[in-house]
Amino acid sequence: MRTLDILVVDDDDADAFMISEALESSETHTTVNRVSDGREALDYLLRAEPYQDAHRPDLILLDLNMPRMDGRETLAAIKGDDRLKAIPVVILTTSGAPPDIVASYQHRANAYVTKPFELDDFEATVRTIDRFYREVAVLPPAD
């Protein structure tokens, strides 16, 4: 079974913790790294200070509502950069607003998932995303 390297971009400590717990407590081979906003995500992805040794993630789980640089701007920057645009980005957010969904797909999100409110449902959703990208999807080669 292959290892999946996931970058979580979420300013909510509780949500980021639940995502990490769901992935690390399952029987998967998943590495989880986390940054708190879009600017940090771009620094991580472009290996800027202090992320010079960061590995390119296989998948990005991106929240929309964050300070400094929100998920909408971050998605546009990732998908607009030839070095980054092949990395799958799953929007994982509390917003179910149609304009957010449409805008995310227009900016080439690979999927849009609304965060469930119940803990068990939240963990099951995260594990399903992980399982799909680890076992079903064919991902671009790592750099």
Side-chain angles (χ1 to χ4, degrees), residues 23-136:
L23 294 171
E24 293 169 0
S25 67
S26 67
E27 296 179 13
T28 64
H29 297 95
T30 303
T31 302
V32 180
N33 292 291
R34 184 240 179 157
V35 294
S36 297
D37 64 46
R39 287 190 186 158
E40 282 185 58
L42 292 176
D43 286 347
Y44 183 98
L45 294 167
L46 297 171
R47 296 184 179 130
E49 183 75 33
Y51 303 105
Q52 307 90 303
D53 297 326
H55 294 285
R56 177 187 171 114
D58 298 304
L59 174 65
I60 299 169
L61 299 181
L62 179 63
D63 186 29
L64 288 184
N65 301 310
M66 298 179 292
R68 293 198 317 159
M69 182 180 203
D70 71 17
R72 297 159 195 83
E73 297 168 297
T74 306
L75 177 62
I78 291 168
K79 295 302 183 176
D81 188 313
D82 287 338
R83 299 165 292 179
L84 307 175
K85 67 182 176 184
I87 302 171
V89 177
V90 173
I91 303 301
L92 183 60
T93 188
T94 56
S95 173
D100 286 337
I101 297 166
V102 170
S104 294
Y105 282 115
Q106 287 176 336
H107 283 91
R108 295 178 178 79
N110 296 84
Y112 192 102
V113 179
T114 303
K115 292 177 183 175
F117 289 105
E118 295 296 323
L119 178 60
D120 290 343
D121 294 338
F122 187 95
E123 289 179 350
T125 297
V126 170
R127 287 185 184 131
T128 299
I129 294 167
D130 174 60
R131 191 169 39 259
F132 175 77
Y133 280 96
R134 195 171 24 79
E135 298 176 5
V136 178

